[in-house]
Amino acid sequence: MSNILTSSNPLFARDNWLSECVEFDCYTWSVCHATSEVRVPKRIPLFVSAKVGAADHKSYLVLKNAGFRVVNHQITLVKELTASAHTIQFHRDLAAAFEIKIQETIKNPKQFSGLFVFDRFSADNRLPRDWSEKIKNKWIRSDVGKKFITAYHDQREIGFILVRLGTEFVIELVCVLESFQGNGVAPAMLGALEEFALSQKVEKLVVGTQDNNEKSLNIYRKCGFTLHDKKI
């Protein structure tokens, strides 16, 4: 959160989607590398977020001097897909205990409220507590270019993956009800996503998470994802 930057500053671009979602003026720092200090005389209330490479010390110092603080470290992992019979059979074995569907939406998103605790909006205690839920709910309702890989148990939704479609599939949300965590639901859904991606001639999966989200990181690594980059 920074209160020293104005909307006219060319270093920043307004995030219309986020601004509408949380009903606050939100901006994104849009320059990859900064070489000078940000100086703006007028103080107005804004929310400005930024992501820079963990090794980009110049940009980090510019942001720090402008009043930003590190909220979390985001890890991006990737998996190059191959039609491995062994891998696919492993995923099918995991999924045997659940029904996995590929669908356009989920029926009961409210039951997953409060489960996203590692994202940057939840991690920043200066932000309103309802921001994270507002953002996730709008994300789930948005159906443009997305699919849900949904796990069912006794006809009840127990978990989902929200994936953005394209030349590579980007995993945007992964969620499993607490009472079903640790039972292979997430790996089963990732396996179903992998099969779906291969059927669509897509050869790469991409996912982002936080470096303190050890449970998710362990699942992704066990499912064959490898580190791509790290941002702060």
Side-chain angles (χ1 to χ4, degrees):
M1 180 91 70
S2 175
N3 288 329
I4 67 172
L5 304 166
T6 70
S7 58
S8 61
N9 193 308
L11 292 176
F12 298 89
R14 190 173 193 274
D15 188 329
N16 293 322
W17 187 92
L18 183 59
S19 297
E20 179 184 344
C21 185
V22 299
E23 299 177 332
F24 197 82
D25 216 7
C26 300
Y27 287 76
T28 301
W29 193 60
S30 58
V31 175
C32 295
H33 300 283
T35 58
S36 62
E37 186 176 358
V38 176
R39 293 181 181 275
V40 179
K42 186 177 180 181
R43 298 173 67 92
I44 60 175
L46 295 173
F47 170 78
V48 184
S49 63
K51 293 180 183 178
V52 296
D56 187 357
H57 300 297
K58 286 184 178 180
S59 296
Y60 167 75
L61 288 175
V62 170
L63 290 169
K64 181 179 179 181
N65 292 335
F68 287 79
R69 77 170 186 181
V70 175
V71 174
N72 58 26
H73 293 71
Q74 181 170 328
I75 306 292
T76 301
L77 303 103
V78 300
K79 182 175 183 179
E80 304 289 343
L81 300 181
T82 58
S84 166
H86 172 75
T87 300
I88 289 175
Q89 185 58 49
F90 170 73
H91 290 318
R92 285 174 178 161
D93 291 343
L94 274 178
F98 316 105
E99 182 181 9
I100 308 292
K101 295 182 180 180
I102 299 171
Q103 51 196 45
E104 302 294 330
T105 187
I106 54 177
K107 299 175 182 177
N108 186 18
K110 288 185 178 180
Q111 69 173 328
F112 298 102
S113 296
L115 294 177
F116 301 100
V117 296
F118 288 97
D119 66 276
R120 59 192 172 106
F121 300 100
S122 297
D124 193 337
N125 58 20
R126 296 167 299 175
L127 298 180
R129 303 313 303 164
D130 63 345
W131 274 29
S132 180
E133 287 300 318
K134 284 181 178 180
I135 292 164
K136 295 301 184 296
N137 288 336
K138 186 170 182 180
W139 221 340
I140 290 170
R141 291 195 303 270
S142 175
D143 59 358
V144 179
K146 298 179 181 179
K147 292 283 188 182
F148 288 88
I149 312 299
T150 310
Y152 286 82
H153 179 71
D154 290 338
Q155 300 183 333
R156 177 193 179 192
E157 293 172 339
I158 60 171
F160 70 86
I161 294 175
L162 174 58
V163 59
R164 175 159 39 94
L165 310 180
T167 55
E168 57 187 31
F169 281 6
V170 179
I171 298 170
E172 297 192 333
L173 293 174
V174 180
C175 189
V176 177
L177 293 179
E178 284 187 316
S179 57
F180 287 91
Q181 292 177 11
N183 294 308
V185 179
M189 294 190 298
L190 287 167
L193 172 59
E194 183 175 332
E195 289 199 38
F196 174 60
L198 287 169
S199 74
Q200 301 300 304
K201 311 300 182 185
V202 171
E203 299 180 349
K204 181 186 287 188
L205 300 179
V206 180
V207 65
T209 190
Q210 294 71 37
D211 66 346
N212 62 337
N213 190 350
E214 288 295 335
K215 184 181 291 186
S216 293
L217 284 171
N218 288 336
I219 290 172
Y220 296 137
R221 288 166 180 154
K222 288 178 181 178
C223 290
F225 286 79
T226 58
L227 178 67
H228 177 66
D229 69 11
K230 183 175 182 179
K231 295 183 184 295
I232 58 176

